[in-house]
Amino acid sequence: MNNVRWRSHASVAALVMAMCSASGIVQAQEVSASTAAAEPEVVVVRGIRSSLRSSMNVKRDAVQVVDAITAEDIGQFPDKNLGEALQRVTGVQISRQDGEGRGVSIRGGDPNQTRVEVNGSTAMSLTVGAGDRAVDFRDLPVEFISRLEVVKSATPDMSEGGVGGTVRIVTRRPFDSRKPFFAASAQGVYSNIAESWDPKLAIIGSRLFAGDTLGVLVSATYEDRHLFSNNARTTGWIRRTDAARSRATGATGRDSDLNSDGVKDWIPEIPRLIMDRRDTKRAALSSVVEWRPNDYLNLFAELTYARAKEEVYSQFLQLSGSSGEIDYANSRVGADNTASHVELVSTSAFPIDLTYRNILGSLTRTQYTSAIGGKWTVGEWLFDGRVSYSKGDVHNDEINSTAVVFGVPRAVIDYTGSQGSPQFSFPGLDVKTGQGVNQLDAVYNPRDNVADELAARFNATWTPSDSLWITSVKFGVSRTEVSNESLLYQRTIRLANRTPMPTSSGAAVVYSVPAATLQSIVNVNSRVNDIPFFKTGDLGYSGGVRQWVDNTYATYWATIAASGTTMDVRATNPNANTMGSYQAFLDTWTVEENTNAAYVQLGFRFDNDFPFPVDGVIGGRLIDTDTKSSGYNRVQGTGGAVTFVPGVREGGYSEFLPSFNMRMKFVPNKWVGRFTASKVMSRPAPSQLALRRSTDIVGLTGSRGNPDLLPFSAAQFDLGLEHYLNADSFWSVTLFRKDISRFIVNQSSPEVIDGTTYNITRPVNDNSPVKITGVEAGIQYAFDFLPAPFNGLGILANVTVQEDKGYKGTNAITGEALPYPGLSKTSYNGSLYYENDKLSARLSYNWRDKWLITPTGRGNLPEFNKAYGSLDAAFNYNVTPNWTVFVEGVNLTDEVRVEYNADARIIGNETFGSRIFMGVRFKN
């Protein structure tokens, strides 16, 4: 959908006074558990308006700045994905994979800087390669959830780790209801891009035993989904100088001055079409056992488990970055010296290589959080403690089957379509057959990443009954032991019959096979994709290549069979400089982090000392972390021989994190003001702490990780005002500022290793300050004053406007300063809902402005994402008090996500289609 001008800042500011985000959302600023001596009685809310009202009451009584999303009923959440639900909170923006919400950014912070907890236990990252600490929100089902909280201001009793903020996932518990309950749902999910209906089932049940002192809750879900996305990508754009092969020296050449105007033009590098296809089976289980023998003692044990296995059969068609020579007479230049139409021809020196690549295999993500603990009240004292264990396990069983045509006669890549995406044609070549295939690769790259945390925490809270201004004193200690492990093997069996023949090196071993055999393997075992490329969304042109060779497992196994060997990654590697192994030593490492923490905080209240009542929390948290990195360093000797030497490096750091949260009751239950100030931190990515040192004695260059890295550090402030209009309606405005005083960048500098000076690239801490300032505004309004049936109407809206200052990244093309990565200057949500005793309906729109994906993408060029919006809708009808039918739609307008590095140079057009959920829900 084209972004029209009404999405300007001024229009958005007006919109906030009329609409708000999705149902079930409020900017609930909930008091931390540390500020209360006892838990309030849990009330099970039902319906959109009840959910909003309950959350609004929490907001009004809060000290911390917390936005909340509350379930509308048992097993009924406002959205079908946790990430997509969180995007409707002010200041929250998400990243997606195959259309599903995956990572969460808060107030401009990277997903890597968001801490996520499940019932107080750390949720571990499931990122392949451990390149960050971002938590994947796709696999934990919404049916388990009672409430989501986005905590934007810290208190000392909170575990550190969120420069952006902390997301708390709170599942249902047995004592949420004194009466036994059971709920279940069955639904079908339709994806228009996959042309498939997929099942999802969920159950949840709870009961109290032993005179209502022992509670047990069990919930489970299962789904089998086809998650597809298509992407028309130009991986990079380059300018190339080759005076010996320019337009002045011949009709074809390599120099990128296409029109002889003396200016190097931008030409595409690795243009390709991608069909990402994942058949995903997800199973999840949540169980809680609680024992409350009296009002003073509460013991519990809990487990939340989720597993997703993706059977991958993704399909690529691509040209390599160095393919062919440019046919100058038939190539054209468009805006900003960017090629709008390029034709390539093969020469003996520079043949065009066209690749049909399929990523097969599977990706399995397993995560669980578990804890045992309890609370004990003795007079004015509350003691609580817990021991928790969390684990995130990713096994990427990656298989590639790749067919290559070296020497394609001609390749045409056209960019004149309305969306700037590449349109291919290959005159004389049938891309639906094995015609011309002269190389086949069978690749096996199994990778394991395991992250786990063992934690123990103990807290004590004193709540004096006779103090004039002290409401509570809380202190505690904790110990966490975190381990991140990485293991990777890589092996390629390559069959070839071309000139020149490739040579064996690294993980690849080459076998000479007749061309007829190679083409027969493709023709017999591969197929053609049955669903055309980019059947949803707007690609900007009709026609072009929509179907091509689709390699299968049969192609993969036939390739291995033709080599006369087997695919054993633990076999001996015959190639030089591999130490006889297919193990990727630089991706084999362990990072351990052991942290001791202690804190103290004071709750205060002044009812009569100021013109209005004031209360809050003040205190500090001290943490001390020891790190240990073990793995391999790559060393290249003077004779060129490479060895991988085991190594161990230790590091560590200490931080003091003060915080202050204050609430001002200007008019009780009507006008509330807030002020907060705190210091927060986020730890480096595990892969940044790993050794991974590689040196080149010839060029005297190298790279490595940095076990001495310090965490991201920031000071943050909030100033807010809220006005509560009635029992269901309010508006709020919050000014915020985040001063990031320490972050992490890659830097090259001289380093002496074994007496030799190398220029080493490594991650380092940068203390140049970056400031993010912004404003969040929201309104929730129920039209209950209208006559029936219009009294069921309601609107919600919020908007976040923010900007950054001080980020040192610059655009390598223009030299201009870049914005802070991941930060959209404007984002907003709007929802209109209706609800009565029989039905509820919601129409929601979410939009975020453009943002910087990375300052140094391919060719060290910045990569941006264009503004993106999504329209969703939901309808529920209560057939009886126990049975409900529902239908929901996500991305109803088939929005396309667009990436670019300059306005004239698009690098990605991704479509993932729309999703329709239809089903039935039961509750007793």
Side-chain angles (χ1 to χ4, degrees):
M1 176 184 295
N2 293 327
N3 297 315
V4 291
R5 297 305 301 169
W6 61 268
R7 291 173 180 159
S8 66
H9 291 184
S11 297
V12 171
L15 175 68
V16 73
M17 300 308 296
M19 301 165 51
C20 174
S21 63
S23 62
I25 295 177
V26 299
Q27 295 170 296
Q29 297 169 312
E30 187 175 30
V31 180
S32 169
S34 62
T35 64
E39 294 181 345
E41 181 182 356
V42 176
V43 179
V44 178
V45 298
R46 291 183 171 86
I48 297 174
R49 188 164 291 180
S50 295
S51 170
L52 296 174
R53 181 184 303 131
S54 176
S55 297
M56 189 187 76
N57 290 338
V58 172
K59 176 184 181 69
R60 182 165 41 200
D61 297 335
V63 173
Q64 278 180 287
V65 178
V66 180
D67 294 342
I69 310 170
T70 306
E72 296 171 4
D73 204 345
I74 298 171
Q76 180 181 343
F77 211 69
D79 286 274
K80 294 299 185 182
N81 170 279
L82 293 183
E84 291 163 16
L86 287 166
Q87 73 175 333
R88 307 192 191 284
V89 171
T90 54
V92 173
Q93 296 151 352
I94 68 171
S95 59
R96 298 174 182 269
Q97 180 169 332
D98 299 322
E100 293 187 307
R102 177 177 179 175
V104 169
S105 302
I106 303 174
R107 289 180 172 177
D110 188 87
N112 188 46
Q113 299 165 9
T114 299
R115 175 174 169 81
V116 181
E117 299 175 350
V118 180
N119 295 328
S121 299
T122 303
M124 308 304 290
S125 174
L126 296 169
T127 301
V128 175
D132 58 40
R133 296 181 189 264
V135 172
D136 194 324
F137 284 85
R138 293 175 294 169
D139 299 334
L140 194 63
V142 296
E143 288 83 0
F144 292 179
I145 309 305
S146 173
R147 184 176 67 256
L148 292 176
E149 298 174 352
V150 179
V151 185
K152 299 177 182 177
S153 67
T155 52
D157 61 338
M158 292 175 56
S159 295
E160 69 284 349
V163 163
T166 297
V167 175
R168 292 172 175 164
I169 301 172
V170 182
T171 64
R172 292 197 174 273
R173 307 187 72 82
F175 285 87
D176 286 355
S177 173
R178 291 285 177 177
K179 297 181 180 179
F181 68 79
F182 175 80
S185 64
Q187 57 190 294
V189 186
Y190 180 74
S191 166
N192 64 344
I193 191 172
E195 297 182 349
S196 173
W197 279 100
D198 301 325
K200 181 176 183 180
L201 305 172
I203 60 171
I204 181 170
S206 178
R207 186 180 180 88
L208 301 184
F209 301 90
D212 290 350
T213 63
L214 179 67
V216 178
L217 180 145
V218 177
S219 53
T221 64
Y222 175 81
E223 61 180 315
D224 188 351
R225 299 279 304 281
H226 290 77
L227 299 174
F228 287 14
S229 64
N230 292 177
N231 202 329
R233 289 196 68 83
T234 301
T235 309
W237 291 86
I238 61 172
R239 294 178 291 192
R240 190 165 56 211
T241 299
D242 191 337
R245 292 181 176 86
S246 66
R247 187 160 189 165
T249 61
T252 66
R254 301 278 292 168
D255 193 274
S256 70
D257 182 1
L258 303 186
N259 53 6
S260 295
D261 64 354
V263 178
K264 303 303 179 188
D265 301 307
W266 294 93
I267 58 176
E269 183 182 36
I270 315 183
R272 56 182 178 172
L273 308 180
I274 305 170
M275 300 186 71
D276 195 13
R277 302 176 300 210
R278 301 167 187 264
D279 288 353
T280 303
K281 292 180 172 62
R282 291 175 175 146
L285 174 70
S286 179
S287 180
V288 183
V289 178
E290 284 189 274
W291 184 46
R292 298 185 181 183
N294 51 50
D295 293 337
Y296 309 105
L297 182 64
N298 175 11
L299 302 178
F300 68 88
E302 61 190 28
L303 169 69
T304 301
Y305 166 90
R307 182 178 187 269
K309 184 173 184 179
E310 300 177 349
E311 296 292 345
V312 184
Y313 53 108
S314 298
Q315 181 183 3
F316 297 68
L317 179 146
Q318 66 184 48
L319 294 173
S320 79
S322 58
S323 277
E325 294 195 1
I326 302 168
D327 180 352
Y328 293 115
N330 291 298
S331 299
R332 301 286 182 270
V333 178
D336 195 16
N337 294 108
T338 302
S340 60
H341 181 90
V342 177
E343 298 200 16
L344 304 174
V345 294
S346 281
T347 65
S348 58
F350 294 96
I352 300 172
D353 53 313
L354 172 65
T355 299
Y356 311 122
R357 178 190 177 198
N358 283 75
I359 299 179
L360 306 170
S362 64
L363 177 65
T364 304
R365 298 184 297 270
T366 305
Q367 59 180 312
Y368 53 85
T369 58
S370 58
I372 57 173
K375 298 179 180 181
W376 183 34
T377 302
V378 182
E380 296 181 344
W381 287 88
L382 170 65
F383 303 96
D384 68 272
R386 58 188 287 136
V387 176
S388 63
Y389 179 73
S390 304
K391 186 175 183 179
D393 188 338
V394 183
H395 177 64
N396 186 15
D397 205 46
E398 181 185 333
I399 290 172
N400 279 215
S401 179
T402 302
V404 184
V405 182
F406 284 90
V408 174
R410 179 176 289 269
V412 180
I413 313 105
D414 185 83
Y415 289 92
T416 58
S418 62
Q419 301 302 311
S421 55
Q423 179 178 357
F424 291 95
S425 62
F426 303 95
L429 181 69
D430 184 357
V431 297
K432 297 181 181 180
T433 71
Q435 178 189 354
V437 170
N438 46 23
Q439 179 175 303
L440 282 174
D441 287 356
V443 180
Y444 185 38
N445 297 335
R447 181 196 288 268
D448 286 281
N449 292 105
V450 180
D452 61 6
E453 178 190 275
L454 178 64
R457 299 177 177 88
F458 175 78
N459 308 292
T461 306
W462 174 52
T463 307
S465 57
D466 56 356
S467 173
L468 295 178
W469 62 276
I470 298 176
T471 59
S472 65
V473 177
K474 185 176 182 181
F475 55 90
V477 295
S478 66
R479 166 79 175 182
T480 60
E481 299 178 354
V482 178
S483 174
N484 282 273
E485 300 177 0
S486 175
L487 175 63
L488 173 65
Y489 286 86
Q490 295 176 311
R491 183 174 180 181
T492 297
I493 294 174
R494 176 165 295 158
L495 311 182
N497 189 295
R498 63 185 181 87
T499 302
M501 280 289 289
T503 57
S504 298
S505 64
V509 178
V510 179
Y511 301 86
S512 179
V513 176
T517 300
L518 301 177
Q519 294 172 25
S520 175
I521 289 175
V522 174
N523 289 329
V524 171
N525 298 285
S526 300
R527 61 185 184 184
V528 175
N529 51 295
D530 53 350
I531 299 177
F533 176 73
F534 228 92
K535 69 177 293 290
T536 63
D538 182 10
L539 193 54
Y541 59 81
S542 59
V545 175
R546 303 287 180 138
Q547 294 174 294
W548 63 90
V549 169
D550 191 4
N551 299 320
T552 66
Y553 278 105
T555 314
Y556 172 78
W557 291 115
T559 301
I560 296 172
S563 73
T565 186
T566 59
M567 183 61 82
D568 181 3
V569 294
R570 288 174 174 79
T572 299
N573 187 339
N575 295 329
N577 299 326
T578 62
M579 294 181 62
S581 176
Y582 290 104
Q583 184 174 351
F585 289 99
L586 295 185
D587 279 295
T588 301
W589 48 262
T590 299
V591 173
E592 301 174 50
E593 299 167 297
N594 296 325
T595 300
N596 295 315
Y599 74 90
V600 62
Q601 67 182 40
L602 174 72
F604 60 87
R605 182 182 66 237
F606 298 97
D607 290 331
N608 302 309
D609 299 270
F610 297 94
F612 44 81
V614 172
D615 61 357
V617 175
I618 187 172
R621 182 179 186 89
L622 178 65
I623 68 104
D624 181 73
T625 298
D626 294 322
T627 64
K628 181 181 179 180
S629 299
S630 57
Y632 293 88
N633 293 317
R634 180 184 184 273
V635 178
Q636 184 177 7
T638 54
V642 173
T643 57
F644 296 90
V645 181
V648 177
R649 182 88 173 267
E650 295 183 350
Y653 49 85
S654 297
E655 297 280 350
F656 179 67
L657 307 173
S659 63
F660 176 74
N661 290 262
M662 182 175 67
R663 176 180 55 166
M664 298 153 282
K665 303 177 183 178
F666 299 129
V667 178
N669 297 320
K670 290 293 184 180
W671 290 90
V672 175
R674 305 184 188 280
F675 173 74
T676 77
S678 58
K679 181 182 178 182
V680 292
M681 55 163 279
S682 292
R683 292 185 168 87
S687 62
Q688 292 177 314
L689 295 169
L691 294 180
R692 309 181 72 185
R693 192 184 75 197
S694 175
T695 56
D696 179 5
I697 192 64
V698 178
L700 297 180
T701 59
S703 63
R704 67 172 176 86
N706 187 357
D708 295 323
L709 278 177
L710 301 176
F712 291 83
S713 179
Q716 59 184 27
F717 308 90
D718 294 272
L719 182 63
L721 179 66
E722 303 152 13
H723 181 37
Y724 295 90
L725 306 173
N726 53 46
D728 294 298
S729 305
F730 76 95
W731 62 259
S732 65
V733 177
T734 302
L735 304 176
F736 63 87
R737 175 167 171 166
K738 193 183 302 288
D739 294 346
I740 304 175
S741 56
R742 185 200 304 136
F743 55 100
I744 298 171
V745 298
N746 286 325
Q747 184 181 87
S748 296
S749 60
E751 185 173 330
V752 178
I753 300 173
D754 296 331
T756 302
T757 301
Y758 296 85
N759 191 40
I760 299 293
T761 300
R762 64 192 182 278
V764 299
N765 290 113
D766 189 331
N767 296 322
S768 303
V770 174
K771 294 178 171 56
I772 298 175
T773 57
V775 58
E776 300 172 345
I779 185 170
Q780 171 183 312
Y781 197 83
F783 295 99
D784 50 3
F785 59 88
L786 295 176
F790 304 105
N791 57 350
L793 286 169
I795 57 173
L796 304 95
N798 66 49
V799 61
T800 302
V801 179
Q802 56 190 345
E803 63 180 8
D804 69 285
K805 183 179 181 181
Y807 180 62
K808 299 300 184 182
T810 57
N811 190 318
I813 304 173
T814 66
E816 297 174 340
L818 290 170
Y820 193 72
L823 184 145
S824 290
K825 289 191 174 181
T826 305
S827 61
Y828 61 82
N829 298 275
S831 284
L832 172 67
Y833 72 85
Y834 179 83
E835 182 178 56
N836 61 28
D837 292 339
K838 297 294 291 184
L839 63 88
S840 64
R842 168 177 54 88
L843 184 68
S844 301
Y845 187 75
N846 172 272
W847 184 86
R848 65 178 294 190
D849 204 352
K850 67 178 182 180
W851 68 95
L852 177 66
I853 302 170
T854 175
T856 53
R858 192 169 188 90
N860 286 322
L861 301 180
E863 296 179 355
F864 300 87
N865 203 110
K866 284 192 174 183
Y868 180 83
S870 179
L871 179 67
D872 306 327
F875 177 83
N876 295 268
Y877 182 75
N878 300 321
V879 180
T880 71
N882 303 108
W883 291 92
T884 301
V885 294
F886 62 89
V887 59
E888 299 186 26
V890 177
N891 191 30
L892 294 175
T893 53
D894 280 343
E895 291 294 303
V896 173
R897 191 179 66 86
V898 179
E899 298 178 25
Y900 65 102
N901 64 24
D903 290 339
R905 292 183 289 280
I906 304 300
I907 59 176
N909 301 71
E910 183 185 28
T911 180
F912 28 78
S914 59
R915 288 170 284 154
I916 304 297
F917 300 78
M918 297 181 64
V920 60
R921 189 180 299 113
F922 170 82
K923 63 179 181 181
N924 65 354

